[in-house]
Amino acid sequence: MRKQFIPILLSFVCLSCSALAQDIANSIKNYEPSKSDIISRGRNLLLDSYVAGDLDKVTEAYLYLNNKVADSNYAVFSPFEQIYLGALTKNYACSLHEILRMDSISRLDPSIRRKSPIAPNNDQLSRNLAENSFIYLQNIYKNIDTSTLPAEDKSMLTLILNDIFKDNNPRVSQDIKDKVQNDINRQCDLFLGSYPQSKYEHYVRNYVRYAVERSDWGFGMDFSIGYVNAGAKSNYVKDGFAAGFGWDFHHKKLGLFTRINILGTTTKKDFYFTPSVILPPKSSVTYFVPELSLGYETLNNKTLTLMPFTGIGGFFCDPGQKDQDNHIRLRNKELNSFCYQVGVNCDFKFKNSKTNPFLRNEYSYNAIRLRVTYLMPTSDRPELRGNQLMVTVGWGLVGYGKKRSW
């Protein structure tokens, strides 16, 4: 009995599998077009009608897909298609609704998972709509202007279409792209000024208007040479020359300057390092003058940046190297003093080199840097007494990044 039961069971299983396969095959053959198929066919019909210039058929297909086919699970058009076709077919409510829908989605917390409708298949519709838009745009703008829409909605539709169809040709130079975007920004500012409480404000500010400004942080450096006036109260040294280099760090209008200046001059009379170590007249002395100062930008335009500053530093005086080499007693001798400093930093800007990776935008610049610094040592030593005026000229550069202006 057991031997007969097993073949019977196997036969039953095979018959069941065969019947099931036939049912699936019949179901596939008799399966009605899915919503995805309907959307695809509808989009193809709309595309053919659009290319043929049959706007009545375009309108019928557009409304049918929007009203009868689209739902929370299936999207029939991309945002660009929805906005453009709504304006083309004079169904402005659809275009305006799409703008508000995109804006509401942009405000959602990205960490919250949400269900997205199935997007239409990637086909030729968007590309052909854009390529043939030049045929219809003038009439679209005219129809919007003569429609019964509120002025705010008219302005919004015109603005969004201008933004969509601005020149994005990758072969166009960046300067031209910037000019086009600046024109869009101007239109955005006009819209926001005309409708300060607009329901479209967030979208315009965040997705249409794209203006940039100088970032808060910047960095600079310079190399310079100059002249030092020893001052009327300095009875021990003559006027001399200076050389220096420095780095500066900028935040908004503030500038922090860190510099090292080396001053060279000669003595007028006996210069005492100690009561027994004396440098004779007409000998060379070198001043090593570090600086840490804080400036504030009072003027900034295309040609000039002016920044008065005040700070602290040191005043270290050494005999000249030749005298140190010739006289052992002068080696390792030094006079030093704490020093206050005030002055003004003046950058005369000139055209940037676009090949310089440090100066990549209009907010960065090369400059002829003029610095006028008044040095005030605090030492009571007569050899160091007397303030000095230092004037230096050199080459500098300052680099800033960009940030979006809201």
Side-chain angles (χ1 to χ4, degrees):
M1 185 67 181
R2 184 180 300 175
K3 293 180 178 179
Q4 294 175 350
F5 176 75
I6 293 175
I8 293 172
L9 179 61
L10 291 175
S11 299
F12 178 77
V13 172
C14 291
L15 290 172
S16 298
C17 290
S18 177
L20 182 61
Q22 290 179 1
D23 287 342
I24 292 174
N26 291 331
S27 296
I28 293 174
K29 290 179 181 179
N30 298 325
Y31 184 63
E32 294 183 358
S34 67
K35 183 160 286 192
S36 295
D37 292 328
I38 295 173
I39 291 173
S40 180
R41 293 179 184 181
R43 288 169 61 86
N44 287 337
L45 173 63
L46 190 151
L47 174 58
D48 292 340
S49 302
Y50 179 77
V51 173
D54 188 351
L55 293 187
D56 290 336
K57 186 64 72 174
V58 169
T59 302
E60 291 179 16
Y62 175 70
L63 292 176
Y64 177 80
L65 289 172
N66 265 325
N67 299 332
K68 301 297 185 180
V69 180
D71 57 28
S72 59
N73 295 317
Y74 289 87
V76 294
F77 297 113
S78 69
F80 156 68
E81 295 167 351
Q82 192 72 269
I83 293 171
Y84 175 66
L85 288 171
L88 177 67
T89 63
K90 301 182 184 180
N91 290 282
Y92 304 121
C94 295
S95 299
L96 296 169
H97 178 268
E98 183 66 17
I99 295 171
L100 294 176
R101 186 189 72 83
M102 290 190 296
D103 189 45
S104 65
I105 291 175
S106 71
R107 296 170 185 247
L108 296 177
D109 188 340
S111 64
I112 299 176
R113 298 186 63 183
R114 56 187 182 275
K115 182 180 179 182
S116 299
I118 298 173
N121 292 331
N122 186 20
D123 55 23
Q124 301 298 314
L125 181 58
S126 289
R127 183 171 64 84
N128 279 277
L129 289 177
E131 287 180 352
N132 291 277
S133 61
F134 70 95
I135 301 174
Y136 303 103
L137 275 176
Q138 291 303 317
N139 280 333
I140 290 175
Y141 287 126
K142 182 178 179 180
N143 291 334
I144 291 173
D145 187 54
T146 58
S147 70
T148 59
L149 287 172
E152 179 185 346
D153 291 339
K154 289 181 180 180
S155 297
M156 184 65 237
L157 281 175
T158 301
L159 178 59
I160 191 66
L161 290 172
N162 286 343
D163 182 56
I164 289 173
F165 292 104
K166 69 177 183 289
D167 193 353
N168 286 319
N169 188 340
R171 291 174 292 183
V172 172
S173 69
Q174 188 59 47
D175 289 341
I176 293 178
K177 289 182 180 180
D178 290 342
K179 289 180 180 179
V180 173
Q181 184 60 56
N182 288 338
D183 184 59
I184 294 293
N185 294 339
R186 180 189 59 79
Q187 296 176 46
C188 289
D189 292 339
L190 182 61
F191 178 88
L192 295 170
S194 301
Y195 310 103
Q197 303 298 325
S198 173
K199 55 183 177 289
Y200 306 110
E201 178 182 359
H202 182 268
Y203 184 81
V204 171
R205 288 192 183 279
N206 288 272
Y207 295 98
V208 183
R209 185 181 186 272
Y210 190 85
V212 296
E213 61 183 4
R214 190 180 77 177
S215 66
D216 291 340
W217 292 94
F219 171 79
M221 61 185 299
D222 74 277
F223 302 90
S224 60
I225 57 174
Y227 183 78
V228 182
N229 179 271
K233 293 184 179 181
S234 179
N235 299 319
Y236 284 84
V237 294
K238 300 178 180 179
D239 293 353
F241 297 91
F245 62 93
W247 302 267
D248 38 286
F249 307 89
H250 301 269
H251 179 65
K252 296 183 178 178
K253 288 183 175 292
L254 294 176
L256 179 68
F257 295 94
T258 57
R259 297 182 55 78
I260 296 174
N261 297 299
I262 300 175
L263 284 57
T265 184
T266 56
T267 58
K268 291 181 179 179
K269 57 183 181 180
D270 289 345
F271 195 97
Y272 290 81
F273 283 92
T274 69
S276 60
V277 178
I278 305 171
L279 197 63
K282 298 183 180 181
S283 299
S284 297
V285 290
T286 302
Y287 292 92
F288 180 73
V289 186
E291 172 190 336
L292 178 65
S293 58
L294 185 66
Y296 185 80
E297 184 182 282
T298 58
L299 176 65
N300 183 22
N301 54 39
K302 292 182 178 180
T303 58
L304 178 66
T305 295
L306 191 66
M307 188 173 286
F309 62 86
T310 183
I312 58 174
F315 211 61
F316 303 90
C317 180
D318 296 310
Q321 189 61 49
K322 183 177 180 180
D323 288 320
Q324 291 189 47
D325 294 339
N326 294 334
H327 305 283
I328 296 177
R329 59 190 177 82
L330 291 175
R331 294 177 184 175
N332 300 320
K333 299 301 179 182
E334 180 183 78
L335 295 179
N336 58 72
S337 171
F338 182 77
C339 181
Y340 293 107
Q341 306 183 20
V342 296
V344 61
N345 187 91
C346 212
D347 286 345
F348 297 93
K349 306 173 187 176
F350 55 91
K351 190 174 181 180
N352 296 334
S353 170
K354 294 185 178 180
T355 60
N356 190 333
F358 187 71
L359 306 174
R360 289 177 287 188
N361 58 61
E362 65 272 26
Y363 304 111
S364 302
Y365 57 85
N366 290 284
I368 299 298
R369 175 166 286 185
L370 170 67
R371 280 179 72 86
V372 180
T373 309
Y374 193 60
L375 306 170
M376 297 171 283
T378 59
S379 174
D380 291 332
R381 289 288 299 265
E383 292 82 6
L384 298 179
R385 191 175 300 158
N387 303 333
Q388 298 192 14
L389 180 67
M390 179 172 61
V391 181
T392 60
V393 179
W395 168 83
L397 59 83
V398 177
Y400 282 94
K402 289 183 178 182
K403 69 174 184 177
R404 188 167 181 178
S405 171
W406 300 99

